[in-house]
Amino acid sequence: MSTEIRNNTALERFEIYVDGVIAGYAEYQDTMSERAFVRTQISPPYEGQGYARMLVESALNRTRADKLGALPMCRTVNHFIETRPEYLAMVPHWARDRMNLPQ
C-alpha cells in the first residue's frame, strides 16, 4: 500500500491518503507562532494500522519546518507528543501544564 500525506491549506488540515483514497486527516488552526491541532480522524477501515501515527508525525515535522510551535489540543496529537519527548520542545511552556504535558 502506498501512503501520501498532504497539507490541504484550504481546509486547514493534513490529509493521509492510502492507495489514493483519503484515510484520515488532522485539522489545525494557525496563529502567528503556533499551529493548534484541534481534531484528528482516521476512517474506520484504516484504524489500528498506524496511519494516525504517520499522519501526526508528518504534520508535526512540517510544523517544525514551518518554524511554528504546536498546540496539541486534540487527544491523538497530545498523546503522540507525550510519548515522544523529542516533540515536546515544540509545545510552548505556557501550554504544557494546560495540556497535561511535562515541563
Side-chain angles (χ1 to χ4, degrees):
M1 292 188 154
S2 68
T3 59
E4 179 185 5
I5 297 169
R6 303 177 196 163
N7 183 1
N8 184 336
T9 56
L11 294 178
E12 292 187 303
R13 67 187 197 178
F14 289 91
E15 300 168 336
I16 186 164
Y17 291 82
V18 177
D19 292 334
V21 176
I22 189 165
Y25 56 86
E27 293 178 343
Y28 63 83
Q29 296 173 350
D30 283 350
T31 68
M32 294 294 277
S33 57
E34 286 100 21
R35 178 165 288 150
F37 290 93
V38 295
R39 181 171 186 236
T40 301
Q41 180 71 43
I42 299 294
S43 299
Y46 300 97
E47 290 177 346
Q49 299 177 53
Y51 294 119
R53 181 199 54 77
M54 285 188 268
L55 174 62
V56 171
E57 183 174 36
S58 180
L60 288 172
N61 288 339
R62 176 61 188 266
T63 298
R64 182 185 285 148
D66 291 342
K67 300 193 185 319
L68 293 170
L71 298 175
M73 300 170 77
C74 109
R75 189 173 4 163
T76 303
V77 178
N78 188 294
H79 178 72
F80 183 91
I81 290 174
E82 183 179 40
T83 58
R84 291 164 184 84
E86 64 270 25
Y87 289 94
L88 184 60
M90 295 179 67
V91 181
H93 286 280
W94 63 264
R96 292 180 192 176
D97 189 46
R98 294 178 190 174
M99 297 178 187
N100 296 315
L101 292 169
Q103 288 296 321

